[in-house]
């Protein structure tokens, strides 16, 4: 199957239609349908063109399984792609807003030892249309079930978004276009384990996406044990890239998965403060979520709060991430596909 049109930016869809002999004026209504799944009445020239199309319009995405957490606000989806590969996406509801957590790869090549997706290994990159298709399916569910719209998108599902840079940025350009789903660019967060070339490229993008960097270790030896890619892009290079990004875009989020006896001591907290000195950072402290392939555990709540307190007293804003969807393995680092059809 050829790449579907739903992964195209609006301007690229216009170019495609003109090349097909269709007036560019029809691009906006077609784009809205491809992005939202809501089809309005099209003008006859566009209808005639659509009748000649076969399977090149919308990326096929089959919802295999939908599991809702006991919290009532978190739903995990298992989707099947055209080639039989499977991915997971998550919808997180909060009062007055809904957030879609999207995947960018089947599996992940970064190999973070505590992450179920990293333990799964890398299968392939997703196409832009496959990323858009997740957002479209989740958005349609929110509209149909709650009468609301998805207002936030986090690229924190399966895969490293900056490893699949071009497709991820192309998909986000479509998702944030006001002619389609219209998610505000400032409400998009891209999470990376420290893909330095990707961070430097993202710093040059005009869209004000938020960057979230998964740190988890405050020196190379410690971080390398948890995040093998640190051996390729060590902390000094990562921090330099973050400074470049911040000079262009502003505040960066830092994720610290806190693991009992591994990186949860007061000394670790003070090392973070020194490492991030001079950067405008907000730290998300994330108690470890259990995965089958990692034997670590989360610290006692007292140690987590003490860790957060040390950061805040040193002038580093820090929050402890609210834990959601753990009963359906929809928490941070828990997304995985154990078998594929």
């Amino acid at each position: 199957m050829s790449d579907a049109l739903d992964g195209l930016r609006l301007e690229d869809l216009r170019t495609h239609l003109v090349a097909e002999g269709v007036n560019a004026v029809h691009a906006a209504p077609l784009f809205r349908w491809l992005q939202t799944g809501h089809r309005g009445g099209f003008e006859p020239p566009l209808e005639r063109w659509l009748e000649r199309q076969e399977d090149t319009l919308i990326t096929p995405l089959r919802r295999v399984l939908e599991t809702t957490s006991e919290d009532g606000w978190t739903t995990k989806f298992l989707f099947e792609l055209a080639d039989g590969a499977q991915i997971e996406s998550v919808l997180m509801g909060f009062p007055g807003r809904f957030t879609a957590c999207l995947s960018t790869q089947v599996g992940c090549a970064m190999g973070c030892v505590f992450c179920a997706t990293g333990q799964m290994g890398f299968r392939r990159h997703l196409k832009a249309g496959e990323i858009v298709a997740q957002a479209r399916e989740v958005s349609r569910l929110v509209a149909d079930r709650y009468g609301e719209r998805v207002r936030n998108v986090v690229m924190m599902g399966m895969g490293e978004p900056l490893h699949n840079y071009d497709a991820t940025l192309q998909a986000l350009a479509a998702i944030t276009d006001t002619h389609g789903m219209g998610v505000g660019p400032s409400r998009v967060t891209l999470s990376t384990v420290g893909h330095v070339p990707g961070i430097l490229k993202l710093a040059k993008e005009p869209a004000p996406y938020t960057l979230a960097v998964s740190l988890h270790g405050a020196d190379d030896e410690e971080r390398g044990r948890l995040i093998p890619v640190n051996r390729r892009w060590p902390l000094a290079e990562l921090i330099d890239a973050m400074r470049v990004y911040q000079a262009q875009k502003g505040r960066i989020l830092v994720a610290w998965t806190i693991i009992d006896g591994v990186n949860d001591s007061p000394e670790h907290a003070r090392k973070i403060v020194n490492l991030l000195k001079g950067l405008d950072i907000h730290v998300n402290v994330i108690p470890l979520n259990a995965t089958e392939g990692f034997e670590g555990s989360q610290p006692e709540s007292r140690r987590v709060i003490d860790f957060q307190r040390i950061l805040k007293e040193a002038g580093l804003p820090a929050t402890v991430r609210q834990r959601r969807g753990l009963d359906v393995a929809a928490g941070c680092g828990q997304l995985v596909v154990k078998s594929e059809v």
Side-chain angles (χ1 to χ4, degrees), residues 15-88:
T15 301
H16 179 81
L17 288 182
V18 171
E20 290 279 306
V22 181
N23 195 305
V25 72
H26 300 299
L30 177 59
F31 181 83
R32 177 169 177 77
W33 171 48
L34 294 174
Q35 291 295 307
T36 67
H38 299 300
R39 178 169 178 163
F42 293 144
E43 295 293 326
L46 181 58
E47 287 284 8
R48 288 194 293 271
W49 179 79
L50 288 172
E51 289 174 1
R52 301 195 299 270
Q53 307 309 304
E54 295 179 355
D55 59 352
T56 60
L57 294 171
I58 294 180
T59 299
L61 188 73
R62 184 171 72 90
R63 191 187 309 176
V64 177
L65 188 64
E66 174 185 331
T67 313
T68 299
S69 169
E70 292 180 356
D71 64 31
W73 287 97
T74 307
T75 301
K76 184 171 73 168
F77 304 95
L78 176 64
F79 291 122
E80 183 177 311
L81 307 170
D83 63 354
Q86 295 180 341
I87 54 173
E88 292 189 321

Side-chain angles (χ1 to χ4, degrees), residues 34-245:
L34 294 174
Q35 291 295 307
T36 67
H38 299 300
R39 178 169 178 163
F42 293 144
E43 295 293 326
L46 181 58
E47 287 284 8
R48 288 194 293 271
W49 179 79
L50 288 172
E51 289 174 1
R52 301 195 299 270
Q53 307 309 304
E54 295 179 355
D55 59 352
T56 60
L57 294 171
I58 294 180
T59 299
L61 188 73
R62 184 171 72 90
R63 191 187 309 176
V64 177
L65 188 64
E66 174 185 331
T67 313
T68 299
S69 169
E70 292 180 356
D71 64 31
W73 287 97
T74 307
T75 301
K76 184 171 73 168
F77 304 95
L78 176 64
F79 291 122
E80 183 177 311
L81 307 170
D83 63 354
Q86 295 180 341
I87 54 173
E88 292 189 321
S89 311
V90 180
L91 170 66
M92 296 171 287
F94 303 87
R97 61 188 172 95
F98 288 87
T99 296
C101 177
L102 307 180
S103 293
T104 55
Q105 296 175 319
V106 183
C108 184
M110 300 297 108
C112 301
V113 299
F114 52 84
C115 174
T117 312
Q119 296 159 14
M120 175 182 165
F122 177 72
R123 311 290 173 83
R124 70 171 175 87
H125 295 304
L126 295 187
K127 300 174 183 178
E130 293 171 326
I131 299 171
V132 168
Q134 297 170 67
R136 181 177 59 240
E137 288 299 308
V138 174
S139 294
R140 289 175 64 180
L141 181 146
V142 170
D144 295 344
R145 189 171 296 177
Y146 304 104
E148 294 282 353
R149 56 188 291 258
V150 169
R151 298 187 182 275
N152 301 277
V153 167
V154 294
M155 311 305 284
M156 296 181 178
M158 297 171 62
E160 162 61 59
L162 299 185
H163 184 207
N164 189 17
Y165 188 92
D166 291 341
T168 296
L169 269 290
Q170 182 176 324
L172 286 177
I175 290 168
T176 58
D177 195 300
T178 55
H179 292 87
M181 283 176 262
V183 176
S186 63
R187 293 179 175 271
V188 172
T189 300
L190 287 94
S191 177
T192 178
V193 297
H195 193 288
V196 168
I199 293 172
L200 295 175
K201 286 180 68 175
L202 192 65
K204 299 176 183 178
E205 297 287 344
Y209 303 138
T210 298
L211 177 68
V213 177
S214 296
L215 202 58
H216 313 315
D219 62 54
D220 285 325
E221 181 180 358
E222 174 181 274
R223 191 169 188 264
R225 288 195 294 267
L226 298 172
I227 304 177
V229 77
N230 186 79
R231 297 163 196 153
R232 183 171 184 181
W233 297 300
L235 274 171
E237 291 184 28
L238 174 57
I239 297 299
D240 284 347
M242 291 167 65
R243 293 189 191 281
V244 171
Y245 187 91

Side-chain angles (χ1 to χ4, degrees), residues 256 258 263-266 268-270 272-273 282-287 300-322:
W256 186 274
I258 188 167
N263 62 357
D264 63 337
S265 70
H268 284 102
R270 288 189 284 269
I272 296 173
V273 172
H282 187 107
V283 179
N284 279 319
V285 181
I286 309 169
E300 296 178 358
S301 58
R302 174 187 55 80
R303 288 183 67 82
V304 177
I305 296 303
D306 285 346
F307 194 92
Q308 178 196 25
R309 176 183 53 77
I310 293 170
L311 298 180
K312 293 177 71 172
E313 287 179 352
L316 201 58
T319 54
V320 177
R321 177 165 309 170
Q322 183 180 1

